[in-house]
Amino acid sequence: MADMMWAGRFSKQVDDRVNDFNSSISFDARMYRQDIQGSIAHATMLGECGIIDRSESEAIVAGLQEILADIDSGKLQIDPAAEDIHMFVEAELTKRLGATGKRLHTARSRNDQVALDIRLYLRSEIENITSLTESLIETILKIAENNLTTIMPGYTHLQRAQPITFAHHVCAYAQMLLRDRERLADTAGRMNVLPLGSGALASTTYPINRQRVKELLGFDEVMQNSLDGVSDRDFCIELASALSILMMHLSRFSEEIVMWCSWEFKFIELDDAFATGSSIMPQKKNPDVTELIRGKTARVYGDLNTLLTMMKGTPLAYNKDMQEDKPAIFDAVDTVKLCLKTFIPMLDTMRVIPENMRRAAAGGFINATDCADYLVKKGMPFRDAYKITGTLVARCIEKGVTLETLPIEQYRELCEAFDEDVYNAISLETCVMQRKAEGGPAPERVKEQIEYVKSKLRDRT
Ligand code: ARG
Protein backbone atom coordinates (compact mmCIF):
# COMPACT_ATOMS: atom_id res chain seq x y z
CA MET A 1 0.00 0.00 0.00
CA ALA A 2 3.05 2.26 -0.37
CA ASP A 3 1.49 3.98 -3.37
CA MET A 4 -1.92 5.09 -2.24
CA MET A 5 -3.53 7.01 -5.06
CA TRP A 6 -3.93 10.08 -2.86
CA ALA A 7 -0.30 9.88 -1.60
CA GLY A 8 0.41 13.39 -2.89
CA ARG A 9 -1.75 15.04 -0.27
CA PHE A 10 -0.59 12.96 2.69
CA SER A 11 2.62 13.03 4.67
CA LYS A 12 2.08 9.64 6.32
CA GLN A 13 1.06 6.14 5.35
CA VAL A 14 -2.48 5.30 6.28
CA ASP A 15 -2.61 2.98 9.29
CA ASP A 16 -3.09 -0.66 8.28
CA ARG A 17 -6.12 -0.92 10.49
CA VAL A 18 -7.75 1.97 8.64
CA ASN A 19 -6.89 0.42 5.31
CA ASP A 20 -8.53 -2.83 6.31
CA PHE A 21 -11.48 -1.04 7.79
CA ASN A 22 -11.96 1.08 4.70
CA SER A 23 -11.58 -1.66 2.14
CA SER A 24 -14.66 -2.96 0.35
CA ILE A 25 -12.91 -5.36 -2.03
CA SER A 26 -14.11 -8.39 -0.05
CA PHE A 27 -17.68 -7.63 -1.03
CA ASP A 28 -17.48 -5.46 -4.14
CA ALA A 29 -15.12 -7.75 -6.11
CA ARG A 30 -18.22 -9.48 -7.41
CA MET A 31 -18.97 -6.36 -9.48
CA TYR A 32 -15.80 -6.67 -11.58
CA ARG A 33 -17.74 -7.35 -14.78
CA GLN A 34 -19.99 -4.33 -14.33
CA ASP A 35 -17.05 -2.13 -13.33
CA ILE A 36 -15.23 -3.06 -16.53
CA GLN A 37 -18.38 -2.73 -18.65
CA GLY A 38 -18.93 0.80 -17.26
CA SER A 39 -15.30 1.75 -17.80
CA ILE A 40 -15.40 0.52 -21.40
CA ALA A 41 -18.41 2.74 -22.09
CA HIS A 42 -16.77 5.67 -20.34
CA ALA A 43 -13.47 5.29 -22.20
CA THR A 44 -15.29 4.93 -25.52
CA MET A 45 -17.16 8.17 -24.88
CA LEU A 46 -13.98 9.98 -23.77
CA GLY A 47 -12.36 9.01 -27.08
CA GLU A 48 -15.37 9.98 -29.17
CA CYS A 49 -15.62 13.39 -27.47
CA GLY A 50 -11.92 14.08 -27.97
CA ILE A 51 -11.32 14.22 -24.19
CA ILE A 52 -8.62 11.60 -24.62
CA ASP A 53 -6.97 10.45 -27.86
CA ARG A 54 -8.91 7.91 -29.89
CA SER A 55 -5.91 5.61 -29.94
CA GLU A 56 -5.64 5.76 -26.16
CA SER A 57 -9.35 5.16 -25.79
CA GLU A 58 -9.03 2.09 -28.00
CA ALA A 59 -6.06 0.81 -26.03
CA ILE A 60 -7.98 1.26 -22.78
CA VAL A 61 -11.01 -0.60 -24.14
CA ALA A 62 -8.82 -3.45 -25.38
CA GLY A 63 -6.93 -3.53 -22.07
CA LEU A 64 -10.16 -3.67 -20.10
CA GLN A 65 -11.48 -6.48 -22.27
CA GLU A 66 -8.33 -8.45 -21.61
CA ILE A 67 -8.61 -7.88 -17.88
CA LEU A 68 -12.19 -9.11 -17.99
CA ALA A 69 -11.20 -12.23 -19.92
CA ASP A 70 -8.31 -12.86 -17.52
CA ILE A 71 -10.48 -12.56 -14.43
CA ASP A 72 -13.13 -14.77 -16.03
CA SER A 73 -10.59 -17.45 -16.89
CA GLY A 74 -8.93 -17.29 -13.48
CA LYS A 75 -5.64 -16.07 -14.96
CA LEU A 76 -5.91 -12.84 -13.02
CA GLN A 77 -6.75 -13.00 -9.31
CA ILE A 78 -8.45 -10.04 -7.70
CA ASP A 79 -6.06 -8.66 -5.10
CA PRO A 80 -7.71 -8.84 -1.67
CA ALA A 81 -5.44 -6.03 -0.49
CA ALA A 82 -6.88 -3.55 -3.00
CA GLU A 83 -9.13 -0.84 -1.60
CA ASP A 84 -12.05 -1.69 -3.82
CA ILE A 85 -12.85 -3.21 -7.20
CA HIS A 86 -12.64 0.17 -8.94
CA MET A 87 -9.09 0.79 -7.74
CA PHE A 88 -8.09 -2.76 -8.54
CA VAL A 89 -9.22 -2.62 -12.17
CA GLU A 90 -7.68 0.79 -12.72
CA ALA A 91 -4.38 -0.25 -11.15
CA GLU A 92 -4.29 -3.42 -13.24
CA LEU A 93 -4.97 -1.40 -16.39
CA THR A 94 -2.16 0.99 -15.55
CA LYS A 95 0.13 -1.94 -14.86
CA ARG A 96 -0.61 -3.19 -18.37
CA LEU A 97 -0.81 0.08 -20.32
CA GLY A 98 1.36 2.46 -18.35
CA ALA A 99 0.43 6.16 -18.62
CA THR A 100 -2.51 5.47 -20.92
CA GLY A 101 -4.22 3.49 -18.17
CA LYS A 102 -4.06 6.52 -15.93
CA ARG A 103 -6.30 8.44 -18.35
CA LEU A 104 -9.34 6.23 -17.77
CA HIS A 105 -10.46 8.09 -14.67
CA THR A 106 -10.69 11.43 -16.51
CA ALA A 107 -14.09 13.12 -15.95
CA ARG A 108 -15.17 10.47 -13.49
CA SER A 109 -15.19 9.85 -9.75
CA ARG A 110 -15.54 6.62 -7.85
CA ASN A 111 -18.73 8.10 -6.50
CA ASP A 112 -20.55 8.04 -9.84
CA GLN A 113 -18.64 4.90 -10.81
CA VAL A 114 -19.85 2.87 -7.84
CA ALA A 115 -23.41 4.14 -8.29
CA LEU A 116 -23.24 2.91 -11.88
CA ASP A 117 -21.74 -0.47 -11.02
CA ILE A 118 -24.38 -1.31 -8.43
CA ARG A 119 -27.16 -0.42 -10.86
CA LEU A 120 -25.66 -2.60 -13.57
CA TYR A 121 -25.10 -5.45 -11.14
CA LEU A 122 -28.57 -5.35 -9.65
CA ARG A 123 -30.15 -4.97 -13.07
CA SER A 124 -28.88 -8.40 -14.05
CA GLU A 125 -29.68 -9.91 -10.65
CA ILE A 126 -33.27 -8.69 -10.96
CA GLU A 127 -33.45 -10.62 -14.23
CA ASN A 128 -32.20 -13.76 -12.48
CA ILE A 129 -34.64 -13.40 -9.60
CA THR A 130 -37.48 -12.72 -12.06
CA SER A 131 -36.73 -15.94 -13.95
CA LEU A 132 -36.66 -17.91 -10.71
CA THR A 133 -39.94 -16.34 -9.64
CA GLU A 134 -41.43 -17.33 -12.97
CA SER A 135 -40.32 -20.92 -12.63
CA LEU A 136 -41.84 -21.03 -9.16
CA ILE A 137 -45.12 -19.76 -10.61
CA GLU A 138 -44.95 -22.45 -13.30
CA THR A 139 -44.37 -25.13 -10.69
CA ILE A 140 -47.41 -23.90 -8.78
CA LEU A 141 -49.53 -23.97 -11.95
CA LYS A 142 -48.50 -27.55 -12.60
CA ILE A 143 -49.61 -28.55 -9.10
CA ALA A 144 -52.85 -26.62 -9.60
CA GLU A 145 -53.60 -28.35 -12.90
CA ASN A 146 -53.23 -31.73 -11.20
CA ASN A 147 -55.47 -30.78 -8.29
CA LEU A 148 -58.46 -28.97 -9.77
CA THR A 149 -60.87 -31.29 -7.96
CA THR A 150 -58.77 -32.06 -4.88
CA ILE A 151 -61.11 -30.87 -2.15
CA MET A 152 -59.60 -29.45 1.02
CA PRO A 153 -60.85 -27.22 3.81
CA GLY A 154 -60.24 -23.52 3.35
CA TYR A 155 -59.39 -21.83 6.65
CA THR A 156 -59.88 -18.57 8.46
CA HIS A 157 -58.29 -18.20 11.91
CA LEU A 158 -56.82 -21.63 11.06
CA GLN A 159 -60.32 -23.01 11.70
CA ARG A 160 -61.96 -25.00 8.94
CA ALA A 161 -64.17 -22.52 7.13
CA GLN A 162 -65.42 -23.44 3.64
CA PRO A 163 -64.50 -26.08 1.11
CA ILE A 164 -62.03 -25.16 -1.61
CA THR A 165 -59.61 -27.12 -3.77
CA PHE A 166 -55.89 -27.51 -3.44
CA ALA A 167 -55.56 -25.93 -6.89
CA HIS A 168 -57.41 -22.85 -5.69
CA HIS A 169 -55.26 -22.66 -2.57
CA VAL A 170 -51.88 -22.82 -4.31
CA CYS A 171 -53.02 -20.45 -7.05
CA ALA A 172 -53.31 -17.74 -4.40
CA TYR A 173 -49.51 -17.93 -4.19
CA ALA A 174 -49.23 -17.67 -7.96
CA GLN A 175 -51.10 -14.36 -7.72
CA MET A 176 -48.80 -13.06 -4.98
CA LEU A 177 -45.76 -14.05 -6.99
CA LEU A 178 -47.13 -12.33 -10.08
CA ARG A 179 -47.26 -9.13 -8.07
CA ASP A 180 -43.70 -9.76 -6.86
CA ARG A 181 -42.64 -10.08 -10.46
CA GLU A 182 -44.35 -6.80 -11.27
CA ARG A 183 -42.66 -5.08 -8.33
CA LEU A 184 -39.29 -6.34 -9.55
CA ALA A 185 -40.02 -4.97 -13.02
CA ASP A 186 -41.04 -1.59 -11.56
CA THR A 187 -37.87 -1.47 -9.49
CA ALA A 188 -35.75 -2.37 -12.51
CA GLY A 189 -37.46 0.38 -14.52
CA ARG A 190 -36.73 3.11 -11.98
CA MET A 191 -33.21 1.76 -11.47
CA ASN A 192 -32.35 1.96 -15.14
CA VAL A 193 -31.16 5.58 -15.11
CA LEU A 194 -27.51 6.50 -15.67
CA PRO A 195 -25.63 8.11 -12.74
CA LEU A 196 -22.24 8.27 -14.52
CA GLY A 197 -21.28 11.83 -15.37
CA SER A 198 -22.33 13.08 -11.93
CA GLY A 199 -18.63 13.13 -11.04
CA ALA A 200 -17.80 13.33 -7.35
CA LEU A 201 -20.96 15.37 -6.78
CA ALA A 202 -20.93 18.41 -9.10
CA SER A 203 -20.55 16.80 -12.54
CA THR A 204 -17.48 17.80 -14.53
CA THR A 205 -15.90 20.56 -16.59
CA TYR A 206 -15.05 18.14 -19.42
CA PRO A 207 -17.36 18.11 -22.46
CA ILE A 208 -18.67 14.61 -21.78
CA ASN A 209 -21.60 13.02 -23.63
CA ARG A 210 -23.80 11.31 -21.07
CA GLN A 211 -26.45 10.42 -23.64
CA ARG A 212 -23.87 8.34 -25.46
CA VAL A 213 -22.87 6.45 -22.30
CA LYS A 214 -26.56 5.93 -21.60
CA GLU A 215 -26.96 4.31 -25.02
CA LEU A 216 -23.85 2.21 -24.70
CA LEU A 217 -24.97 0.78 -21.36
CA GLY A 218 -28.65 0.38 -22.22
CA PHE A 219 -30.07 2.87 -19.72
CA ASP A 220 -33.41 4.57 -20.35
CA GLU A 221 -32.46 8.00 -19.05
CA VAL A 222 -29.67 10.06 -17.55
CA MET A 223 -29.92 11.16 -13.92
CA GLN A 224 -30.84 14.82 -13.92
CA ASN A 225 -29.07 16.01 -10.78
CA SER A 226 -25.45 15.19 -10.10
CA LEU A 227 -25.87 15.32 -6.31
CA ASP A 228 -28.73 12.87 -6.57
CA GLY A 229 -26.74 10.84 -9.07
CA VAL A 230 -24.05 9.98 -6.55
CA SER A 231 -26.10 9.86 -3.36
CA ASP A 232 -29.27 8.07 -4.40
CA ARG A 233 -29.68 4.54 -3.08
CA ASP A 234 -33.46 4.40 -3.45
CA PHE A 235 -33.05 1.62 -5.97
CA CYS A 236 -31.34 -0.60 -3.36
CA ILE A 237 -34.07 0.14 -0.85
CA GLU A 238 -36.81 -0.48 -3.39
CA LEU A 239 -35.27 -3.76 -4.38
CA ALA A 240 -34.78 -4.84 -0.76
CA SER A 241 -38.39 -3.96 -0.13
CA ALA A 242 -39.65 -5.90 -3.17
CA LEU A 243 -37.49 -8.83 -2.02
CA SER A 244 -38.81 -8.57 1.53
CA ILE A 245 -42.37 -8.87 0.24
CA LEU A 246 -41.37 -11.80 -1.95
CA MET A 247 -39.75 -13.49 1.07
CA MET A 248 -42.86 -12.82 3.14
CA HIS A 249 -44.84 -14.77 0.53
CA LEU A 250 -42.33 -17.62 0.49
CA SER A 251 -42.38 -17.64 4.26
CA ARG A 252 -46.19 -17.91 4.45
CA PHE A 253 -46.14 -20.71 1.91
CA SER A 254 -43.35 -22.39 3.89
CA GLU A 255 -45.33 -22.11 7.10
CA GLU A 256 -48.27 -23.84 5.45
CA ILE A 257 -46.03 -26.61 4.16
CA VAL A 258 -44.63 -27.10 7.66
CA MET A 259 -48.19 -27.57 8.91
CA TRP A 260 -49.34 -29.67 5.97
CA CYS A 261 -46.56 -32.21 6.39
CA SER A 262 -47.15 -32.59 10.14
CA TRP A 263 -48.95 -35.73 11.32
CA GLU A 264 -51.80 -33.51 12.48
CA PHE A 265 -52.53 -32.51 8.86
CA LYS A 266 -50.62 -34.89 6.55
CA PHE A 267 -51.95 -33.11 3.46
CA ILE A 268 -48.60 -33.52 1.76
CA GLU A 269 -45.42 -35.56 2.01
CA LEU A 270 -42.09 -34.00 1.19
CA ASP A 271 -39.73 -35.95 -1.02
CA ASP A 272 -36.96 -37.63 0.98
CA ALA A 273 -34.43 -35.58 -0.96
CA PHE A 274 -35.98 -32.39 0.39
CA ALA A 275 -36.43 -33.29 4.05
CA THR A 276 -34.00 -34.05 6.84
CA GLY A 277 -33.82 -36.51 9.69
CA SER A 278 -33.13 -36.11 13.37
CA SER A 279 -29.89 -37.07 15.09
CA ILE A 280 -31.77 -38.77 17.92
CA MET A 281 -35.38 -39.47 16.94
CA PRO A 282 -35.39 -42.15 14.23
CA GLN A 283 -38.99 -41.51 13.19
CA LYS A 284 -38.44 -37.86 12.31
CA LYS A 285 -38.67 -36.32 8.85
CA ASN A 286 -38.26 -32.60 9.20
CA PRO A 287 -39.20 -29.82 6.80
CA ASP A 288 -35.94 -27.93 7.33
CA VAL A 289 -36.02 -26.19 3.96
CA THR A 290 -39.26 -24.42 4.69
CA GLU A 291 -38.21 -23.53 8.21
CA LEU A 292 -34.98 -22.05 6.93
CA ILE A 293 -36.91 -19.98 4.43
CA ARG A 294 -39.02 -18.61 7.27
CA GLY A 295 -35.79 -17.86 9.13
CA LYS A 296 -34.04 -16.30 6.18
CA THR A 297 -36.99 -13.99 5.62
CA ALA A 298 -35.84 -12.24 8.80
CA ARG A 299 -32.44 -11.72 7.21
CA VAL A 300 -33.88 -10.00 4.17
CA TYR A 301 -36.08 -7.78 6.35
CA GLY A 302 -32.89 -6.96 8.26
CA ASP A 303 -31.14 -5.99 5.04
CA LEU A 304 -33.99 -3.63 4.18
CA ASN A 305 -33.71 -2.10 7.62
CA THR A 306 -29.95 -1.71 7.28
CA LEU A 307 -30.40 0.21 4.06
CA LEU A 308 -33.16 2.45 5.34
CA THR A 309 -31.28 3.25 8.52
CA MET A 310 -27.98 3.73 6.71
CA MET A 311 -29.50 6.40 4.49
CA LYS A 312 -31.64 8.33 6.90
CA GLY A 313 -29.02 10.66 8.31
CA THR A 314 -26.54 11.14 5.49
CA PRO A 315 -26.16 14.68 4.22
CA LEU A 316 -25.78 15.19 0.46
CA ALA A 317 -23.93 13.98 -1.43
CA TYR A 318 -21.73 10.83 -1.12
CA ASN A 319 -20.72 9.61 2.34
CA LYS A 320 -18.69 6.55 3.14
CA ASP A 321 -21.64 5.18 5.10
CA MET A 322 -23.02 4.28 1.70
CA GLN A 323 -20.37 1.65 1.13
CA GLU A 324 -22.46 -0.46 3.51
CA ASP A 325 -25.19 -0.64 0.86
CA LYS A 326 -23.48 -3.53 -0.87
CA PRO A 327 -23.26 -6.14 1.92
CA ALA A 328 -26.92 -5.51 2.65
CA ILE A 329 -28.39 -5.57 -0.83
CA PHE A 330 -26.10 -8.39 -2.01
CA ASP A 331 -27.12 -10.46 0.99
CA ALA A 332 -30.79 -9.88 0.18
CA VAL A 333 -30.24 -10.86 -3.45
CA ASP A 334 -28.19 -13.97 -2.56
CA THR A 335 -30.65 -15.08 0.08
CA VAL A 336 -33.69 -14.76 -2.18
CA LYS A 337 -31.96 -16.66 -4.99
CA LEU A 338 -30.86 -19.41 -2.63
CA CYS A 339 -34.36 -19.76 -1.17
CA LEU A 340 -36.06 -19.83 -4.58
CA LYS A 341 -33.58 -22.33 -5.97
CA THR A 342 -34.31 -24.74 -3.12
CA PHE A 343 -38.00 -24.09 -2.69
CA ILE A 344 -38.89 -24.76 -6.36
CA PRO A 345 -37.64 -28.36 -6.57
CA MET A 346 -38.94 -29.05 -3.07
CA LEU A 347 -42.42 -27.97 -4.12
CA ASP A 348 -42.14 -29.77 -7.42
CA THR A 349 -41.35 -33.11 -5.77
CA MET A 350 -43.78 -32.90 -2.87
CA ARG A 351 -46.57 -35.52 -2.89
CA VAL A 352 -50.13 -34.31 -2.41
CA ILE A 353 -52.38 -36.61 -0.35
CA PRO A 354 -55.93 -35.85 -1.54
CA GLU A 355 -57.60 -38.43 0.77
CA ASN A 356 -56.36 -36.62 3.85
CA MET A 357 -57.45 -33.25 2.56
CA ARG A 358 -60.87 -34.71 1.76
CA ARG A 359 -61.11 -36.24 5.23
CA ALA A 360 -60.27 -32.94 6.87
CA ALA A 361 -62.82 -31.20 4.67
CA ALA A 362 -65.51 -33.67 5.72
CA GLY A 363 -65.18 -32.78 9.40
CA GLY A 364 -65.68 -29.33 10.84
CA PHE A 365 -69.01 -28.48 9.20
CA ILE A 366 -67.45 -26.50 6.40
CA ASN A 367 -70.65 -26.91 4.39
CA ALA A 368 -72.74 -25.05 6.98
CA THR A 369 -72.81 -21.88 4.86
CA ASP A 370 -74.13 -23.96 1.97
CA CYS A 371 -76.79 -25.47 4.19
CA ALA A 372 -77.95 -21.95 5.10
CA ASP A 373 -77.79 -20.95 1.42
CA TYR A 374 -80.03 -23.94 0.64
CA LEU A 375 -82.76 -22.46 2.83
CA VAL A 376 -82.20 -19.00 1.33
CA LYS A 377 -82.74 -20.45 -2.13
CA LYS A 378 -86.06 -21.80 -0.79
CA GLY A 379 -87.06 -18.23 0.07
CA MET A 380 -85.88 -17.79 3.68
CA PRO A 381 -83.99 -14.59 4.71
CA PHE A 382 -80.26 -15.39 5.22
CA ARG A 383 -80.18 -14.42 8.90
CA ASP A 384 -83.00 -16.89 9.75
CA ALA A 385 -81.34 -19.60 7.67
CA TYR A 386 -78.05 -18.91 9.45
CA LYS A 387 -79.69 -19.36 12.84
CA ILE A 388 -81.42 -22.63 11.93
CA THR A 389 -78.19 -24.02 10.50
CA GLY A 390 -76.35 -23.02 13.66
CA THR A 391 -78.83 -25.01 15.71
CA LEU A 392 -78.43 -27.97 13.34
CA VAL A 393 -74.65 -27.88 13.77
CA ALA A 394 -74.99 -27.80 17.54
CA ARG A 395 -77.31 -30.83 17.34
CA CYS A 396 -74.86 -32.72 15.12
CA ILE A 397 -72.01 -32.04 17.55
CA GLU A 398 -74.18 -33.28 20.39
CA LYS A 399 -74.93 -36.53 18.55
CA GLY A 400 -71.46 -36.93 17.10
CA VAL A 401 -72.66 -36.82 13.47
CA THR A 402 -72.13 -34.49 10.50
CA LEU A 403 -74.57 -32.50 8.38
CA GLU A 404 -74.17 -35.19 5.69
CA THR A 405 -75.16 -38.00 8.06
CA LEU A 406 -77.91 -36.27 10.03
CA PRO A 407 -81.26 -37.99 9.13
CA ILE A 408 -83.74 -35.88 7.15
CA GLU A 409 -86.35 -36.16 9.93
CA GLN A 410 -84.03 -34.26 12.22
CA TYR A 411 -83.64 -31.55 9.60
CA ARG A 412 -87.38 -31.30 9.12
CA GLU A 413 -88.01 -31.20 12.85
CA LEU A 414 -86.25 -27.85 12.86
CA CYS A 415 -87.48 -26.55 9.53
CA GLU A 416 -90.11 -27.85 7.12
CA ALA A 417 -88.29 -26.37 4.15
CA PHE A 418 -85.66 -29.14 4.20
CA ASP A 419 -86.03 -31.96 1.63
CA GLU A 420 -83.94 -34.93 0.55
CA ASP A 421 -82.17 -32.67 -1.97
CA VAL A 422 -80.38 -30.99 0.94
CA TYR A 423 -77.79 -33.79 0.92
CA ASN A 424 -76.84 -33.00 -2.62
CA ALA A 425 -76.78 -29.27 -1.89
CA ILE A 426 -74.34 -29.71 0.99
CA SER A 427 -72.10 -32.32 -0.58
CA LEU A 428 -68.56 -30.98 -0.66
CA GLU A 429 -68.44 -31.43 -4.43
CA THR A 430 -71.54 -29.27 -4.87
CA CYS A 431 -70.20 -26.69 -2.43
CA VAL A 432 -67.05 -26.29 -4.50
CA MET A 433 -68.77 -26.50 -7.91
CA GLN A 434 -71.30 -23.85 -6.92
CA ARG A 435 -68.65 -21.36 -5.87
CA LYS A 436 -68.20 -20.30 -9.42
CA ALA A 437 -68.17 -16.53 -9.05
CA GLU A 438 -65.11 -14.96 -10.65
CA GLY A 439 -62.07 -15.85 -8.54
CA GLY A 440 -63.86 -18.76 -6.85
CA PRO A 441 -62.72 -22.36 -6.30
CA ALA A 442 -65.01 -24.01 -8.89
CA PRO A 443 -62.68 -25.97 -11.20
CA GLU A 444 -63.84 -24.04 -14.27
CA ARG A 445 -62.91 -20.76 -12.55
CA VAL A 446 -59.55 -22.05 -11.35
CA LYS A 447 -58.83 -23.15 -14.91
CA GLU A 448 -59.51 -19.57 -16.01
CA GLN A 449 -57.23 -18.33 -13.27
CA ILE A 450 -54.46 -20.62 -14.44
CA GLU A 451 -54.90 -19.31 -17.99
CA TYR A 452 -54.76 -15.75 -16.69
CA VAL A 453 -51.49 -16.39 -14.88
CA LYS A 454 -50.06 -18.10 -17.96
CA SER A 455 -50.98 -15.15 -20.15
CA LYS A 456 -49.33 -12.76 -17.67
CA LEU A 457 -46.19 -14.91 -17.77
CA ARG A 458 -46.19 -14.79 -21.56
CA ASP A 459 -46.20 -10.99 -21.78
CA ARG A 460 -42.70 -10.38 -20.46
CA THR A 461 -42.01 -6.69 -20.36
N1 ARG B 1 -15.85 1.57 -2.21
C1 ARG B 1 -16.63 2.76 -2.27
C2 ARG B 1 -18.13 2.41 -2.06
O1 ARG B 1 -18.43 1.29 -2.12
C3 ARG B 1 -16.48 3.43 -3.62
C4 ARG B 1 -16.69 4.88 -3.58
C5 ARG B 1 -15.57 5.54 -2.85
N2 ARG B 1 -15.71 6.95 -2.86
C6 ARG B 1 -15.09 7.71 -2.00
N3 ARG B 1 -15.28 9.00 -2.08
N4 ARG B 1 -14.33 7.22 -1.06
O2 ARG B 1 -18.94 3.27 -1.83
Side-chain angles (χ1 to χ4, degrees), residues 24 28 83-84 86 110-111 114 318 320 322-323 326:
S24 53
D28 64 21
E83 188 191 339
D84 56 29
H86 326 294
R110 271 187 303 160
N111 296 351
V114 71
Y318 177 85
K320 193 72 177 212
M322 286 152 68
Q323 181 166 284
K326 285 170 284 299

Side-chain angles (χ1 to χ4, degrees), residues 232-244:
D232 167 42
R233 293 294 182 273
D234 290 2
F235 59 98
C236 293
I237 296 173
E238 267 193 69
L239 179 57
S241 135
L243 295 180
S244 293

Side-chain angles (χ1 to χ4, degrees), residues 51 138 144 153 180 209 231 256 260 262 275 292 438 449 451:
I51 298 170
E138 275 155 14
D180 290 323
N209 183 350
S231 66
E256 296 209 294
W260 290 341
S262 71
L292 257 179
E438 259 180 271
Q449 205 191 137
E451 282 318 309

Side-chain angles (χ1 to χ4, degrees), residues 5-6 22-25 27-28 31 83-87 109-115 118 200 230 233 318-327:
M5 67 166 158
W6 54 72
N22 218 20
S23 168
S24 53
I25 193 84
F27 51 84
D28 64 21
M31 300 194 302
E83 188 191 339
D84 56 29
I85 190 61
H86 326 294
M87 299 313 300
S109 154
R110 271 187 303 160
N111 296 351
D112 54 352
Q113 188 180 353
V114 71
I118 315 171
V230 291
R233 293 294 182 273
Y318 177 85
N319 300 271
K320 193 72 177 212
D321 315 39
M322 286 152 68
Q323 181 166 284
E324 288 291 309
D325 58 358
K326 285 170 284 299

Side-chain angles (χ1 to χ4, degrees), residues 284-300:
K284 289 296 283 294
K285 181 167 170 187
N286 295 329
D288 283 20
V289 168
T290 43
E291 290 165 42
L292 257 179
I293 288 174
R294 261 186 345 208
K296 284 182 189 290
T297 302
R299 251 181 110 114
V300 177

Side-chain angles (χ1 to χ4, degrees), residues 257-306:
I257 291 171
V258 170
M259 285 190 315
W260 290 341
C261 68
S262 71
W263 281 108
E264 282 68 18
F265 278 79
K266 262 292 168 257
F267 285 2
I268 58 123
E269 174 88 32
L270 292 175
D271 191 86
D272 281 0
F274 288 92
T276 48
S278 153
S279 60
I280 170 169
M281 297 165 283
Q283 84 283 13
K284 289 296 283 294
K285 181 167 170 187
N286 295 329
D288 283 20
V289 168
T290 43
E291 290 165 42
L292 257 179
I293 288 174
R294 261 186 345 208
K296 284 182 189 290
T297 302
R299 251 181 110 114
V300 177
Y301 291 0
D303 293 327
L304 170 62
N305 248 304
T306 298

